[in-house]
Amino acid sequence: RLRDPDINPCLSESDASTRCMAENNYDKESCSSHFLKYKNCRKFWNSVMIQRRQNGVKPPMPTAAERDEILGAMGKMPY
């Protein structure tokens, strides 16, 4: 279920941090930038989800296509 891009907005960031850990013999310090990017991604989409819930928008988490539109409208990655 967590591999579904409609459910998990930070799938690519999660994969990147996992890949980094595997490539660097699980040295957490080497992958701290990947962890930070994942954490910021989760924080950003969680705030979007909370705002949508407050506004009564269903579903609370935007689909993958909606997320692409949101990020496109911002012009750059917010995380």
Side-chain angles (χ1 to χ4, degrees), residues 33-60:
S33 63
H34 292 283
F35 297 147
L36 185 60
K37 190 169 183 175
Y38 175 75
K39 181 180 176 181
N40 290 336
C41 176
R42 294 296 303 171
K43 189 183 293 186
F44 173 76
W45 289 113
N46 190 42
S47 66
V48 169
M49 189 170 66
I50 290 169
Q51 185 177 9
R52 284 172 60 104
R53 240 187 235 138
Q54 289 172 345
N55 294 336
V57 178
K58 298 278 182 171

Side-chain angles (χ1 to χ4, degrees), residues 8-79:
N8 186 355
C10 300
L11 192 57
S12 62
E13 288 80 2
S14 174
D15 289 346
S17 62
T18 302
R19 190 172 38 255
C20 178
M21 288 289 283
E23 291 171 358
N24 291 297
N25 289 328
Y26 298 91
D27 177 22
K28 291 182 182 181
E29 288 184 26
S30 299
C31 301
S32 61
S33 63
H34 292 283
F35 297 147
L36 185 60
K37 190 169 183 175
Y38 175 75
K39 181 180 176 181
N40 290 336
C41 176
R42 294 296 303 171
K43 189 183 293 186
F44 173 76
W45 289 113
N46 190 42
S47 66
V48 169
M49 189 170 66
I50 290 169
Q51 185 177 9
R52 284 172 60 104
R53 240 187 235 138
Q54 289 172 345
N55 294 336
V57 178
K58 298 278 182 171
M61 178 57 71
T63 63
E66 287 177 304
R67 289 194 304 267
D68 288 341
E69 283 181 30
I70 291 169
L71 292 175
M74 296 180 100
K76 64 179 178 82
M77 293 294 270
Y79 45 86

